[in-house]
Amino acid sequence: MSETIKFENESSRWAPFREGSIFTDFLDKKKKDFALSSNELTEISESAAKILSKCINPSLINETNMDSTGLVIGEIQSGKTLSMTSVSALAKDNGYGIIIVMSG
């Protein structure tokens, strides 16, 4: 699995918790369904954490500027769905109350 993540600002804002039940269950299911290696699971976990770290930290919601926008684009079969679902599972474990995905 190869993936390119490009951020305008590479500095990380916060470190998402990666041991939550939703995210670990998600990774376990992907490991079983697709026979993923430990290296591939680590790559998915690191990628999701890197993406989520660029979003607003929900524990600082009253102290943080709420302006944040993200966009995911990519070629067909490039891993967008896996990326969005892994980030969504990680976000839920880190306190996000709602995740909205618009696709077409």
Side-chain angles (χ1 to χ4, degrees), residues 52 55 68-72 80 83-85 87-89 91-92 96-104:
L52 192 61
C55 299
S68 179
T69 303
L71 175 67
V72 177
K80 297 177 300 297
S83 179
M84 287 187 292
T85 54
V87 170
S88 297
K92 192 64 180 160
Y96 283 80
I98 187 168
I99 294 122
I100 299 170
V101 175
M102 291 193 255
S103 64

Side-chain angles (χ1 to χ4, degrees), residues 28-95:
D28 287 343
K29 180 157 177 42
K30 293 301 169 195
K31 181 178 182 175
K32 290 176 189 168
D33 290 351
F34 299 105
L36 298 176
S37 70
S38 294
N39 288 343
E40 290 170 319
L41 292 173
T42 298
E43 187 178 333
I44 291 167
S45 178
E46 288 176 359
S47 175
K50 186 173 183 178
I51 292 167
L52 192 61
S53 76
K54 306 300 179 189
C55 299
I56 295 169
N57 184 342
S59 66
L60 303 175
I61 206 82
N62 295 327
E63 306 168 22
T64 305
N65 181 348
M66 297 298 294
D67 292 340
S68 179
T69 303
L71 175 67
V72 177
I73 59 173
E75 298 291 326
I76 295 170
Q77 296 293 315
S78 64
K80 297 177 300 297
T81 301
L82 177 60
S83 179
M84 287 187 292
T85 54
S86 61
V87 170
S88 297
L90 190 60
K92 192 64 180 160
D93 279 339
N94 279 275

